[in-house]
Amino acid sequence: ISGQRHFQQSFHVTMSSRVNLAIATVLGMLIGAALKTSFSTPYSLSGISKNSNEVKGSVKNLADIPHRPTSHIDTQGRPITKQQLLEPFVVPQFVGYSVATFKSGQNMMPVHEHESMHEFFFVLEGRGVIQIDGVDHNVEPGTFLHMAPKEKHGIWIPENETEDMKMAVCGVTVD
């Protein structure tokens, strides 16, 4: 029985990882489609810039990216931290790509909105609550959220949560 239980747990982890990978791939495709209409790419299929003066692509490992504070400070004065994988506007209209970390009891409230930005969140680890236009949504690994411009949103992690919530975050400006 213990061998069967181990197989079931391993299968669940493997399937969960595959689902997260699939959702992250779809997120990348959606963002790519949004960007396709905004600019023509300076990259060749090999990933080498056609013009040496243009920005080149990159390969990074999240473990090598330091945590740094964001502009969002919670009600206790603690900043939400992020690991910035792609700096804002390296790609025109793309406001960067990062992994944000929220600690237990941390919040990004009151709600805020973006005048001309679509913001995308994908929960990688942990659990929390995201409020969108006054409606609370419980989120967990595998949850994808899209905030359109002017949608009011805020995030908090209940104090009884023992695990940090990590989310992939990116955005595209429309003006």
Side-chain angles (χ1 to χ4, degrees):
I1 292 177
S2 65
Q4 183 180 8
R5 185 175 299 133
H6 175 72
F7 171 77
Q8 289 172 339
Q9 289 173 342
S10 296
F11 179 76
H12 176 71
V13 168
T14 302
M15 287 303 293
S16 177
S17 297
R18 287 181 182 164
V19 168
N20 282 343
L21 178 60
I23 292 172
T25 300
V26 170
L27 174 60
M29 291 169 59
L30 288 171
I31 294 165
L35 291 172
K36 184 178 179 184
T37 61
S38 301
F39 70 98
S40 62
T41 180
Y43 304 104
S44 69
L45 291 177
S46 67
I48 298 170
S49 177
K50 294 177 185 176
N51 180 334
S52 62
N53 294 330
E54 294 177 5
V55 175
K56 295 184 179 183
S58 63
V59 176
K60 298 179 182 178
N61 186 310
L62 187 61
D64 298 331
I65 307 297
H67 286 264
R68 65 186 193 198
T70 68
S71 60
H72 298 292
I73 308 295
D74 74 5
T75 54
Q76 297 175 28
R78 302 175 298 173
I80 308 304
T81 63
K82 66 180 175 181
Q83 292 168 281
Q84 192 76 43
L85 293 159
L86 182 66
E87 293 296 329
F89 304 107
V90 167
V91 176
Q93 296 182 272
F94 191 65
V95 295
Y97 190 89
S98 63
V99 173
T101 300
F102 292 79
K103 301 284 186 188
S104 177
Q106 213 167 21
N107 66 68
M108 190 175 65
M109 295 294 278
V111 296
H112 68 281
E113 63 186 82
H114 305 285
E115 189 67 27
S116 62
M117 180 176 72
H118 289 269
E119 193 168 25
F120 306 94
F121 299 94
F122 182 73
V123 180
L124 301 167
E125 297 175 13
R127 295 180 177 354
V129 179
I130 297 184
Q131 186 179 95
I132 305 167
D133 287 338
V135 178
D136 292 347
H137 301 272
N138 292 315
V139 298
E140 60 186 20
T143 303
F144 171 79
L145 301 111
H146 166 217
M147 306 301 149
K150 300 181 183 174
E151 283 188 309
K152 292 177 171 59
H153 57 283
I155 302 167
W156 71 92
I157 311 307
E159 289 186 17
N160 63 344
E161 286 296 330
T162 57
E163 185 180 2
D164 292 348
M165 184 171 79
K166 294 186 178 210
M167 295 190 301
V169 181
C170 62
V172 178
T173 59
V174 292
D175 288 333

